[in-house]
């Protein structure tokens, strides 16, 4: 059943630490645009998929052929497929998995929320050239990732083993066993913080966390027992990279 999902502005009132350690109030922010989604309650073992020419993105339960969220390369061309998604109805953090493997290969993550809003996309290098409609799937994961929206950069650093930052105000922090990654925005400007990383030594799947909710906020991803292998923090203005660090090896 088609249904337009109208989501209100996301208002964050937590406190955040600035780059010099001072504590500042987080202003109210509006996250846009609002995805229009097809809602589906999963009641069987079949995954729900979104397709474009060259890409198939699916969300499925543990017992399905595609557990968690996955993206498959279905065409031998000059593009690579990706799946873009939000978790638990929160638009302040967007996740992207880039499948950099060859035609017929599948990449993804088992760690998803109770609600997953996702779409298929095609990229040439770092530029998105095509994307599909949003779909929302509910009640798929047996042990869904909880919604976490109130972690500040200071709290992320305190919880993590390793952190790296850009001069423009993006911070990436992570810890392992179980593995989690934070992407934090630490400066009040129009730029968005991103975490870009690879896991389990696999160079064919790049994971991204786009933190869209504004200064002093962090987005979190979980990866079970899979260790981070390479990582960097970056800063973007929409789709344009403004600052970054060289990839570091863990």
């Amino acid at each position: 059943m088609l249904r337009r999902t109208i989501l209100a502005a996301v208002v964050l009132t937590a406190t955040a630490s600035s780059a010099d350690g001072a504590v500042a109030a987080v202003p109210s922010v509006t996250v846009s645009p609002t995805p229009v989604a097809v809602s589906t309650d999963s009641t069987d073992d079949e995954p729900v998929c979104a397709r474009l020419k060259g890409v198939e993105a699916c969300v499925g339960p543990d017992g399905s052929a595609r557990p968690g969220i996955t993206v498959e390369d279905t065409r031998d061309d000059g593009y690579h497929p990706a799946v873009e998604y939000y978790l638990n109805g929160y638009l302040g953090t967007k996740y992207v998995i880039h499948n950099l493997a060859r035609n017929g290969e599948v990449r993804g993550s088992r760690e998803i929320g109770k609600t997953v809003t996702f779409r298929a996309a095609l990229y040439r290098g770092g530029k998105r050239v095509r994307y599909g409609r949003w779909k929302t799937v509910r009640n798929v994961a047996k042990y869904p990732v909880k919604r976490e929206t109130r972690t500040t950069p200071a709290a992320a650093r305190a919880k993590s083993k390793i952190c790296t930052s850009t001069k423009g105000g993006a911070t990436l922090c992570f810890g392992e066993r179980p593995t989690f990654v934070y992407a934090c925005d630490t400066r009040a400007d129009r730029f968005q913080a991103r975490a870009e990383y690879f896991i389990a030594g696999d160079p064919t799947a790049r994971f991204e966390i786009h933190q869209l909710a504004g200064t002093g906020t962090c987005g979190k991803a979980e990866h079970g027992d899979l260790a981070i292998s390479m990582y960097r923090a970056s800063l973007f203005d929409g789709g344009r990279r403004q600052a970054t660090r060289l990839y570091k090896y863990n």
Side-chain angles (χ1 to χ4, degrees):
M1 179 180 66
L2 291 176
R3 184 178 69 182
R4 290 189 174 276
T5 306
I6 302 176
L7 297 174
V10 179
V11 179
L12 301 172
T13 57
T15 60
S17 295
S18 65
D20 59 3
V23 176
V26 178
S28 298
V29 294
T30 301
V31 178
S32 62
T34 301
V36 176
V38 178
S39 296
T40 304
D41 287 315
S42 180
T43 57
D44 52 32
D45 288 338
E46 292 300 316
V48 176
C49 297
R51 300 174 180 87
L52 293 172
K53 288 184 178 180
V55 54
E56 181 179 66
C58 297
V59 177
D62 289 341
S64 71
R66 295 285 181 85
I69 186 158
T70 57
V71 56
E72 179 182 0
D73 191 337
T74 60
R75 195 171 186 177
D76 189 11
D77 53 24
Y79 304 102
H80 75 260
V83 58
E84 305 174 344
Y85 61 104
Y86 296 88
L87 294 181
N88 300 318
Y90 178 62
L91 300 186
T93 307
K94 184 171 80 172
Y95 304 90
V96 185
I97 303 174
H98 295 263
N99 184 347
L100 307 177
R102 64 187 68 185
N103 181 22
E105 294 292 320
V106 179
R107 297 292 182 271
S109 174
R110 297 291 291 270
E111 309 296 331
I112 59 175
K114 185 175 181 181
T115 301
V116 185
T117 299
F118 72 106
R119 69 180 179 184
L122 278 174
Y123 282 74
R124 183 188 291 274
K127 184 177 181 181
R128 187 178 61 200
V129 297
R130 195 178 306 154
Y131 54 88
R133 297 182 63 193
W134 293 101
K135 286 188 176 184
T136 296
V137 181
R138 296 181 175 87
N139 301 318
V140 167
K142 187 175 181 180
Y143 302 104
V145 172
K146 294 181 180 180
R147 174 170 165 173
E148 183 173 337
T149 61
R150 296 185 178 181
T151 301
T152 64
R157 285 183 175 276
K159 294 176 181 179
S160 301
K161 171 187 174 184
I162 296 174
C163 291
T164 187
S165 299
T166 64
K167 292 181 179 179
T171 296
L172 178 155
C173 293
F174 67 90
E176 295 178 335
R177 303 297 191 273
T179 297
F180 60 86
V181 183
Y182 285 104
C184 301
D185 191 334
T186 58
R187 182 171 295 183
D189 53 27
R190 70 180 187 277
F191 303 131
Q192 302 94 41
R194 290 191 191 180
E196 302 174 301
Y197 58 98
F198 296 80
I199 61 175
D202 182 6
T204 65
R206 185 176 79 240
F207 294 82
E208 295 179 0
I209 307 173
H210 300 194
Q211 188 54 16
L212 308 175
T215 181
T217 66
C218 299
K220 182 184 181 183
E222 298 181 16
H223 293 285
D225 291 329
L226 300 176
I228 303 298
S229 48
M230 286 201 308
Y231 60 96
R232 68 179 177 184
S234 297
L235 203 68
F236 278 76
D237 183 3
R240 180 175 294 180
R241 188 184 302 273
Q242 297 296 317
T244 193
R245 291 283 188 180
L246 293 175
Y247 274 112
K248 293 183 178 180
Y249 291 92
N250 181 32

